[in-house]
Amino acid sequence: MIFFGLRVGMRKGRELNNFSIYHSHLLQQAIAELKEKHQDVIVVYGCYYNAFLWLLSKADLLDRTVNGSSHVLSFRKISSGFDPTSLQKACCGIGDYNSGLSSWCGDPKVPVCENPNERLSWDGAHLTQRAYELMATWLVRGISPKLQCEYIVSYSSAV
């Protein structure tokens, strides 16, 4: 998991991100050993951390493409991009980034944004359904060719 601390420069966020990178590295090493030991088995790896970094890097491009730009052809089908001015703000919550710990989503006093599809984060800890959908599509498209299947049902999403 990537923590928004990376984006706002918090030391703890960087430490957690580094831990996530380290964990991912160890997992990939273990998968490489499995592949070597069991060469007749296809083992695939979908990295949540890299998917989230991809999503962050494309978030403002998604919005610009929706508004008529044609320079990022792979994103033309997206009907609603993220609001680039609020990429660090959660949809639901209270505080600077709408992710304070004093009140939780679901509390009647906690506001919810009008359009969750324009936000990456739902509550400061979990992503919005739209963000998860885009990440899952990116991961599936990267993994599918590695499965070496003659027929794979194409996963269709807004990406």
Side-chain angles (χ1 to χ4, degrees), residues 68-138:
S69 174
S70 60
H71 65 278
V72 186
L73 300 176
S74 61
F75 298 111
R76 288 192 129 177
K77 295 180 182 177
I78 294 175
S79 61
S80 176
F82 297 108
D83 176 2
T85 64
S86 61
L87 292 179
Q88 294 182 21
K89 276 190 103 153
C91 180
C92 173
I94 296 174
D96 290 339
Y97 297 102
N98 289 352
S99 59
L101 298 175
S102 60
S103 296
W104 299 95
C105 295
D107 185 315
K109 296 178 231 159
V110 175
V112 177
C113 68
E114 237 178 83
N115 187 357
N117 288 333
E118 293 180 350
R119 302 286 176 95
L120 289 175
S121 176
W122 171 251
D123 60 4
H126 304 94
L127 300 180
T128 60
Q129 183 174 338
R130 178 81 175 129
Y132 281 129
E133 176 189 16
L134 292 170
M135 286 174 51
T137 301
W138 184 79

Side-chain angles (χ1 to χ4, degrees), residues 47-66:
C47 182
Y48 181 96
Y49 186 86
N50 286 335
F52 187 76
L53 288 178
W54 170 84
L55 185 64
L56 278 178
S57 74
K58 302 298 181 198
D60 62 328
L61 295 177
L62 301 177
D63 188 60
R64 282 186 289 193
T65 304
V66 169

Side-chain angles (χ1 to χ4, degrees), residues 1 3-4 12 18 24 29 33-34 43-44 50 63 65 78 84 86 96 98-99 109 122 131 136 138 142 153 157:
M1 159 159 242
F3 297 89
F4 280 100
K12 193 64 165 174
N18 288 338
S24 195
Q29 281 182 330
E33 290 173 18
L34 275 174
V43 180
V44 294
N50 286 335
D63 188 60
T65 304
I78 294 175
S86 61
D96 290 339
N98 289 352
S99 59
K109 296 178 231 159
W122 171 251
W138 184 79
V153 177
S157 178

Side-chain angles (χ1 to χ4, degrees), residues 10 12 20 22 28 30 59 72 102 108 119 130-131 139 141 151 153:
M10 293 170 37
K12 193 64 165 174
S20 182
Y22 176 68
Q28 289 178 59
V72 186
S102 60
R119 302 286 176 95
R130 178 81 175 129
L139 285 166
R141 285 187 180 168
Y151 178 78
V153 177

